[in-house]
Amino acid sequence: MFKAPPLAAFRPRLMQDLRGYSGERLARDVGAGATVGIVALPLAMAFAIASGLKPEAGLWTAIIAGFVISALGGTSVQIGGPAGAFIVIVYGIVERYGVANLLIATTSAGVLLFLLGLFRLGTLVRYVPVSVVIGFTNGIAVLIGLSQLRDLMGLDITKMPADFFGQLHALALHLGSINLHALGLGVLCVVGLFIWPRLWAVDSQFRRQLDQIDTVSALRATSRLPAPVVALVSLSLLSWAMEFPVETIGTRFGGIPQTVPAFALPDFSWETVRLLVTPTLTIALLGAIESLLCARVADQLSETPKHDPNQELMAQGIANAIVPFFGGMPATGTIARTVTNIRAGATSPVAGIVHAATLAAVVLLAAPLAQHIPLAVLAGVLLFVAWNMGEWREFGRLKHFTNHYRLMLVSTFLATVIFDLTVAVELGLVMACVLFVRRQSEVFRADPQAAPAAGTLRYALYGSLFFGATAKIDPIVAAVESSAAPVHVELEASRLVSLDTTGLDALEQLHKAIHKRGGQLTMSGLNPQPRSLIERSGFAMRLQGWEAAEASQAPEAEAR
């Protein structure tokens, strides 16, 4: 009788990490959480604005989803919130379906993510090939960078199209409206983000002499501050003091409310949910891939216990099901903020909770100051994020890999840029399956062996005999049909690792051709899976000497 696998237990990692929790660990987590909370501030606003939403949507997503993912997730140090990978997806959904339907799609994706974790399907995400992940990640990075050129250059474009070629056309048409003040701020931001972490990083005698000067030493100490925060504060002050004629958060959105967003139910109907199946699946798939990829990175960089993929997906699902009721956007694990959290000394999910509390305090106390932030500076931050997000070296390394790998990576990349992420992932997975079938079919062999007697053909089977490899049985059938005398065929199958129903049908066709000419087919050395299928199908009863072969294999099976 079929027995359904047990459901995943709901065990947040926070409960495990709080056992034996010490004051020293609390101090480290508070410091790390405050640091990553400050880092998340400009990113959350930038991600929301780039997605076609108001900045507070990104901030409160980082606060609410960040808290839920840390409190209920399956990792110790992962930070959740809005992610750059969602920008292209969310912008496209907002353009096509509207903000209200984005909220419904996000909630539906949250339910789907929770069910994936509940039914222990978190490990299935690992079956997505790395070439597909790199392809769509690089494609998303290109689209993010392209979408920020409008604000970076201060172009007079009322609404950016969602598609790649539409954006190129809009940018080309409005190049004459470039704002040099905005471009200058954006370029300064990008350059500063690259330089700031490397400030005085090279050890030298001259640098040690400079450190003896109190002013220089204090300035160098500030290089440890998060670069996006330094860029945001310094360039906003510069723009405000010089009264640059650039677009800011205040001029476009009217500032950020200094209150907690009200709980509101979107206009929900099953008919709407049916129309949003594709966006829902896209958000859920990308959220699952990004969160579990981030969790694996956290496992490699930290000394905390390995993550629980099913618990992590359940927490991601709960977070995405909740944030739309507060006007939020999709959330997932964020690699950059997670790495910052680890390097700042985080030891448990408490750091992620502190990160959410820090963001909430900043928003509630200092929200009016955000109206002076130039959009060109936020665009510079996102260009820097896009550059770090892409794995550009993989394009240079393609020459070291097979044509299969190159085809999957480049095709997924181009499909992401030209079409959308859903098409790209579907194409990548289909190509991965087709190329895997081809590769496995090449592995299977039916090698002729020395015949023990005249009128007998002997072959050794290697690999998997499945639907993609059955053509390699045809030469044996042709050899039988070309013989005028009865032919006996022996198949030595000790290296046949698996057999599917199409492969079984090929063996039955071989048996019919042999039997039609008065010959016999025998098989020996079968492994458990092929033997089980042959027995269950009834084909074993038609094979010559099956009972004797089974009796001879029984002692070997017991020994194994």
Side-chain angles (χ1 to χ4, degrees):
M1 177 184 288
F2 172 76
K3 185 178 180 180
L7 299 178
F10 193 83
R11 295 194 184 96
R13 181 59 57 83
L14 178 63
M15 299 297 101
Q16 176 183 329
D17 285 349
L18 287 180
R19 296 171 191 162
Y21 197 66
S22 63
E24 179 187 355
R25 290 181 63 192
L26 175 62
R28 292 176 61 186
D29 285 337
V30 170
T35 300
V36 77
I38 295 172
V39 170
L41 180 67
L43 296 178
M45 291 189 292
F47 291 155
I49 293 172
S51 300
L53 304 173
K54 294 183 177 180
E56 57 264 31
L59 289 171
W60 284 104
T61 298
I63 293 168
I64 298 171
F67 173 82
V68 172
I69 291 171
S70 292
L72 304 179
T75 63
S76 296
V77 292
Q78 178 163 283
I79 300 296
F86 275 124
I87 290 176
V88 179
I89 303 302
V90 173
Y91 189 84
I93 294 173
V94 170
E95 285 291 297
R96 184 172 180 181
Y97 300 99
V99 175
N101 287 330
L102 167 68
L103 303 182
I104 295 174
T106 304
T107 300
S108 302
V111 173
L112 183 57
L113 282 168
F114 182 85
L115 293 176
L116 286 174
L118 182 64
F119 290 105
R120 298 179 177 271
L121 299 177
T123 54
L124 292 181
V125 177
R126 297 178 181 176
Y127 295 153
V128 179
V130 66
S131 55
V132 174
V133 175
I134 293 173
F136 77 68
T137 301
N138 286 4
I140 290 173
V142 169
L143 291 175
I144 291 173
L146 182 65
S147 68
Q148 295 312 298
L149 294 182
R150 175 187 70 164
D151 289 336
L152 183 81
M153 296 186 290
L155 300 180
D156 186 18
I157 302 176
T158 305
K159 200 169 189 179
M160 278 288 281
D163 64 290
F164 175 72
F165 293 109
Q167 290 181 356
L168 287 178
H169 182 66
L171 291 170
L173 285 179
H174 294 84
L175 275 178
S177 63
I178 188 170
N179 184 324
L180 294 179
H181 293 91
L183 180 61
L185 288 173
V187 171
L188 277 175
C189 178
V190 174
V191 173
L193 291 173
F194 276 102
I195 293 177
W196 189 259
R198 299 166 178 82
L199 196 62
W200 286 311
V202 179
D203 189 18
S204 66
Q205 181 66 29
F206 177 69
R207 197 211 73 187
R208 287 192 290 273
Q209 291 175 354
L210 283 178
D211 284 347
Q212 302 302 315
I213 305 174
D214 292 341
T215 304
V216 176
S217 180
L219 181 60
R220 182 173 178 270
T222 62
S223 67
R224 299 176 183 177
L225 292 174
V229 176
V230 175
L232 200 70
V233 173
S234 61
L235 294 177
S236 296
L237 285 173
L238 175 64
S239 175
W240 173 76
M242 301 298 293
E243 297 184 352
F244 287 156
V246 296
E247 196 171 17
T248 65
I249 287 179
T251 58
R252 181 179 292 183
F253 302 102
I256 298 175
Q258 203 172 357
T259 58
V260 177
F263 181 89
L265 291 172
D267 187 12
F268 178 88
S269 70
W270 286 111
E271 186 64 27
T272 304
V273 172
R274 288 177 55 194
L275 294 175
L276 297 173
V277 169
T278 299
T280 296
L281 292 177
T282 303
I283 293 172
L285 177 62
L286 183 59
I289 292 174
E290 287 291 315
S291 64
L292 297 186
L293 180 64
C294 179
R296 291 174 65 181
V297 171
D299 288 345
Q300 295 169 3
L301 296 179
S302 68
E303 298 178 358
T304 56
K306 299 297 181 183
H307 74 281
D308 179 350
N310 297 314
Q311 181 63 41
E312 186 61 32
L313 286 185
M314 287 191 283
Q316 299 280 346
I318 294 172
N320 281 283
I322 292 176
V323 290
F325 297 114
F326 296 92
M329 58 188 291
T332 186
T334 57
I335 295 179
R337 276 160 277 171
T338 297
V339 172
T340 301
N341 192 38
I342 294 170
R343 290 177 177 171
T347 66
S348 76
V350 172
I353 295 173
V354 172
H355 136 269
T358 302
L359 266 176
V362 172
V363 171
L364 295 176
L365 297 176
L369 299 177
Q371 65 180 336
H372 301 296
I373 298 175
L375 296 182
V377 175
L378 291 179
V381 171
L382 281 184
L383 281 173
F384 181 73
V385 169
W387 174 259
N388 287 325
M389 179 181 175
E391 298 185 46
W392 312 112
R393 293 180 181 177
E394 292 299 321
F395 287 124
R397 297 177 62 220
L398 285 177
K399 59 185 178 183
H400 301 298
F401 295 99
T402 63
N403 289 332
H404 290 177
Y405 182 91
R406 298 172 192 167
L407 183 61
M408 283 195 293
L409 194 154
V410 174
S411 298
T412 307
F413 170 75
L414 293 177
T416 302
V417 173
I418 298 173
F419 300 104
D420 59 50
L421 181 65
T422 306
V423 173
V425 174
E426 290 172 351
L427 175 66
L429 291 177
V430 169
M431 291 184 62
C433 292
V434 171
L435 295 175
F436 178 79
V437 167
R438 179 180 176 183
R439 189 178 298 114
Q440 292 301 306
S441 66
E442 293 172 350
V443 170
F444 176 78
R445 304 197 317 269
D447 292 345
Q449 306 290 306
T456 300
L457 298 176
R458 183 177 176 84
Y459 294 86
L461 305 183
Y462 299 85
S464 299
L465 180 54
F466 69 113
F467 63 88
T470 55
K472 295 189 177 181
I473 299 297
D474 293 344
I476 305 178
V477 176
V480 171
E481 292 177 342
S482 64
S483 176
V487 177
H488 302 291
V489 177
E490 297 179 2
L491 299 179
E492 201 286 313
S494 61
R495 294 179 179 83
L496 179 66
V497 295
S498 64
L499 176 71
D500 74 351
T501 52
T502 307
L504 177 64
D505 180 71
L507 293 178
E508 290 181 336
Q509 297 303 318
L510 174 61
H511 176 264
K512 288 179 182 178
I514 295 170
H515 185 70
K516 185 177 181 180
R517 285 160 179 75
Q520 296 175 341
L521 173 65
T522 60
M523 298 187 71
S524 61
L526 282 162
N527 288 305
Q529 190 276 329
R531 184 169 64 247
S532 173
L533 179 58
I534 289 173
E535 289 175 344
R536 286 183 284 112
S537 67
F539 182 51
M541 304 303 296
R542 299 192 293 276
L543 292 176
Q544 176 69 19
W546 179 261
E547 294 181 358
E550 284 296 289
S552 65
Q553 291 178 31
E556 297 180 11
E558 292 177 2
R560 290 194 294 268

